[in-house]
Amino acid sequence: MDQPSSLKLLGSWADSHTHRVQLALKLKSLEFDYQEEDVVNISPALLLHNPVYKKVPVLLHKGRPVVESVVILQYIDETWTGNPLMPADPFERAVARFWCHFAEDKLAPAVGAVFSSSGEGQKAAVDQVHQNLKLLECEIRDGAFEGRRFFGGDKIGMLDIVLGCGSYWLSVFEEVMEVKLVDPESFPAFHAWLRDFEEQNEVKETIPAIDKLLEYARGVRQMMLTLSSSTITSVPATAAAAATTTGNDDVAVDAIDGSSG
C-alpha cells in the first residue's frame, strides 16, 4: 500500500463531490492527507492542480492531480483493485455508469432547481425530482437492481457513492424549502436504500452533521434571495462552490450531485 503522504485530497467540507472521494478512499482502506479549500478564495494549489475548472475535489497521487469526482472514483477503483467499487461484468459496469450519468445529468439539476426557485417554478422542479425518483424506484424494485441491498450488491459500490453522497441534502432541502421530496410511501425502495446507506460506518464518518448542513443551506438560501432581490438571478460559480460540492456551477446542484466536480 502507498504511504499516507502519497495521497492528498483537496476538498471542501460541505461539498458532496468531495464526500464521494472521501468515502471511496475509506471503503478502500486508503490513508490520505486532506486539505480544506476555500472555494471562494481559490488557493494557488487548487489553481495549479485544476486550472481548467478551478474547483474541488482534486486527488493528488504522488503529486499527480486527478480531477472530477467520478473520474477520481474510477481512478481509485482501477489503481487499488481490492474492495472493488464497480462490478466485474462489462454490462453491469455499463449499467452503473449510465445511472451515475443520470444522477449527474437529471436528478441533481432537478434538485438544484428546487433550491434555487420559488412559486410555480419550484412546484415544477419538485415534480421533476419526483419523476426522476420514480425511475430509480422502478429500477430498484423491478429493474437492474432488483433484490439488491445496495446498487453495488451486498456492499456499497460506485453508484451508491454517486447517488448517496448528495442524497442526504434532500432532507436538508425539505426542511429549508418546506417541500416534500422523498416520501417513504411513494418511494419506499429508494427511501430504504438511502436510510441503509446513511447507517454505514464509513458514511457516518464522511457526512457532516445534519444541523451543520442545515445551517449552511439556510445561509446559502438567504444569500440567493439577497442576490435575487438585487436583480441577480443566478448564484456566481464561486458562491455556488462555497455553497457546496461538486465546487461547481450552481449552489443546489453542487450540494446534491451536480453537473460536475
Side-chain angles (χ1 to χ4, degrees), residues 1-10 25 30-35 49 59-64 80:
M1 179 182 294
D2 288 304
Q3 295 300 312
S5 59
S6 73
L7 283 172
K8 183 175 185 178
L9 176 62
L10 310 183
L25 291 169
L30 295 170
E31 296 185 58
F32 62 97
D33 295 328
Y34 177 75
Q35 179 173 312
H49 296 302
L59 182 68
L60 299 175
H61 182 207
K62 297 180 179 178
R64 298 183 300 177
W80 296 275

Side-chain angles (χ1 to χ4, degrees), residues 2 16 34 45 103 121 161 175 180 184 207 212 243 254:
D2 288 304
S16 62
Y34 177 75
I161 295 173
E175 182 162 341
K180 192 63 180 176
I207 307 306
K212 193 175 181 181
D254 292 348

